[in-house]
Amino acid sequence: VRIMADLFLDKLPWRRADQPALSTMTIAQSWCLVTLYNPTVVCVDGVYKMWFLGNASQTRDNCMELGYAESSDGLRWSPHPDNPILRTGETPQGKAWQTPHVLYDADEDLYKMWFVMSERSGTGDPPVVRQMLGYATSPNGLRWDIHPEPLYPSGRRPCVLKDGPGRYRMWMNSSPAVDDDFRAMARSIYRFTARDGIEWTRDEEPAVVATETHRSIVYPYVVDNAGAHTMWYGCHIEGGIFELYASTSADGRQWTHHFDESAFPSARDPDRFDGRYTSTPCVLDDGDRYLLYYSARDMGNLYGAGDGAVRADSDGIYRHIGVAVCGKMS
């Protein structure tokens, strides 16, 4: 038990960068000047590859596109000149690309992406939001062959591990009942299994659920470290703050939750790009170090919309991607 406990990664001493890796404030690409978030990163043959979301219209609409960037060190990133590589409306259903997770399958020399197709409609509270799991493959991470149908009717931010031929596991937000409103999806993370990465079976009970103090449990990311599983996810807590917490498990099914302390808190500093939110974690096991990529919201509420108006979002705006580093113990 002690050996397993030493392999859990929920209390890593992260060292975060002072400036974002990518930001709407500094990027020289017009397609993502309002929103920029949700990094998913792999390293293949020494090249770090990131896929991320962005738009240039306004927050909380049906426009969301997929961009790509590369890095030689995992810290300094160059967006692809032909971004966005996938555009609003190119999903089989819905309109917006949301919460992608990319896995490089070395056995097949193929990039595999699970993502969410999202569409908002109506003006009610809450609005009607449909979020369905999708799938695509690519030989190079740029040109994608998109599966023609949704894989699952209720999903948000998949994280997929391939354990071997015919053995896939996924953790994803999902509504307990298909006809629940989308807020129910943000309160439950389920484990799924599949033989092909396409036909998924969901566990009967969720792996993690929200609490009175941690009012949402969203954006799961799981690392299997020699059987010791660590799951990071984002939680809304008091004062409009949102930050990363973690749960641990010896089998990926029964989890111990660590709600007493944030695994990666927001800076809570008005001068920091991640002052209000640390979100959508992506943790890369990178040789002698771990890299944590995350979405961030600063304390500001104003932004320039695509129609030229200055608008406000009282919850803040996803406009930065941060990176943090932790060296491994020798």
Side-chain angles (χ1 to χ4, degrees):
V1 175
R2 176 53 184 261
I3 294 174
M4 178 66 74
D6 290 342
L7 295 174
F8 293 135
L9 308 175
D10 56 307
K11 298 186 183 301
L12 293 179
W14 296 105
R15 185 178 73 256
R16 67 183 83 197
D18 290 333
Q19 299 297 326
L22 291 174
S23 173
T24 63
M25 307 295 197
T26 57
I27 196 167
Q29 295 190 337
S30 61
W31 69 278
C32 56
L33 291 182
V34 170
T35 301
L36 190 156
Y37 85 121
N38 200 108
T40 174
V41 180
V42 300
C43 185
V44 180
D45 296 329
V47 178
Y48 297 83
K49 304 183 177 190
M50 178 193 294
W51 296 262
F52 62 98
L53 298 170
N55 79 2
S57 52
Q58 63 183 36
T59 61
R60 309 178 198 284
D61 70 1
N62 281 325
C63 178
M64 193 65 69
E65 301 181 314
L66 190 73
Y68 173 77
E70 288 189 353
S71 171
S72 61
D73 61 4
L75 304 175
R76 297 179 293 272
W77 291 88
S78 299
H80 194 272
D82 294 332
N83 279 337
I85 60 171
L86 290 169
R87 296 180 176 273
T88 299
E90 293 181 344
T91 52
Q93 293 189 27
K95 294 182 179 179
W97 294 89
Q98 281 290 359
T99 59
H101 173 87
V102 176
L103 180 154
Y104 173 68
D105 191 328
D107 295 331
E108 301 179 32
D109 190 23
L110 192 66
Y111 294 87
K112 300 179 178 181
M113 176 170 61
W114 292 266
F115 60 92
V116 167
M117 310 173 238
S118 178
E119 184 169 14
R120 288 174 172 259
S121 60
T123 57
D125 184 20
V128 176
V129 180
R130 299 175 66 231
Q131 297 185 318
M132 300 158 285
L133 180 66
Y135 177 64
T137 59
S138 172
N140 60 6
L142 294 173
R143 301 185 308 276
W144 291 91
D145 181 14
I146 303 168
H147 191 75
E149 299 291 338
L151 306 188
Y152 201 81
S154 167
R156 180 76 171 177
R157 218 307 176 91
C159 173
V160 179
L161 301 183
K162 183 181 180 183
D163 297 321
R167 295 177 56 203
Y168 289 85
R169 292 179 293 164
M170 174 174 69
W171 290 264
M172 180 174 69
N173 281 103
S174 187
S175 297
V178 173
D179 58 353
D180 287 338
D181 75 56
F182 82 99
R183 291 179 298 189
M185 192 181 308
R187 298 183 61 83
S188 301
I189 294 171
Y190 286 86
R191 188 189 76 120
F192 297 72
T193 56
R195 298 184 62 184
D196 55 5
I198 296 176
E199 295 186 11
W200 292 95
T201 300
R202 191 178 81 175
D203 286 353
E204 290 187 6
E205 298 296 327
V208 192
V209 295
T211 70
E212 290 186 3
T213 56
H214 297 71
R215 299 187 301 276
S216 59
I217 302 287
V218 285
Y219 308 125
Y221 195 91
V222 176
V223 169
D224 181 350
N225 183 28
H229 296 71
T230 305
M231 181 196 302
W232 294 266
Y233 43 80
C235 295
H236 284 99
I237 55 176
E238 78 285 349
I241 297 297
F242 187 99
E243 51 196 27
L244 301 182
Y245 285 77
S247 297
T248 51
S249 171
D251 60 6
R253 303 188 69 172
Q254 301 297 321
W255 293 86
T256 299
H257 312 307
H258 305 286
F259 292 135
D260 57 321
E261 183 180 4
S262 172
F264 190 78
S266 60
R268 305 194 186 199
D269 181 340
D271 295 325
R272 287 277 310 186
F273 72 90
D274 52 2
R276 187 187 311 203
Y277 270 46
T278 53
S279 182
T280 71
C282 173
V283 178
L284 185 64
D285 186 342
D286 190 40
D288 61 355
R289 63 180 181 172
Y290 294 103
L291 293 169
L292 166 62
Y293 300 95
Y294 62 100
S295 304
R297 292 185 185 183
D298 54 51
M299 292 292 192
N301 295 331
L302 300 179
Y303 69 95
D307 60 4
V310 176
R311 298 187 181 177
D313 189 320
S314 61
D315 291 328
I317 304 101
Y318 276 127
R319 47 189 168 200
H320 315 285
I321 291 173
V323 60
V325 182
C326 179
K328 291 183 180 179
M329 298 289 289
S330 58

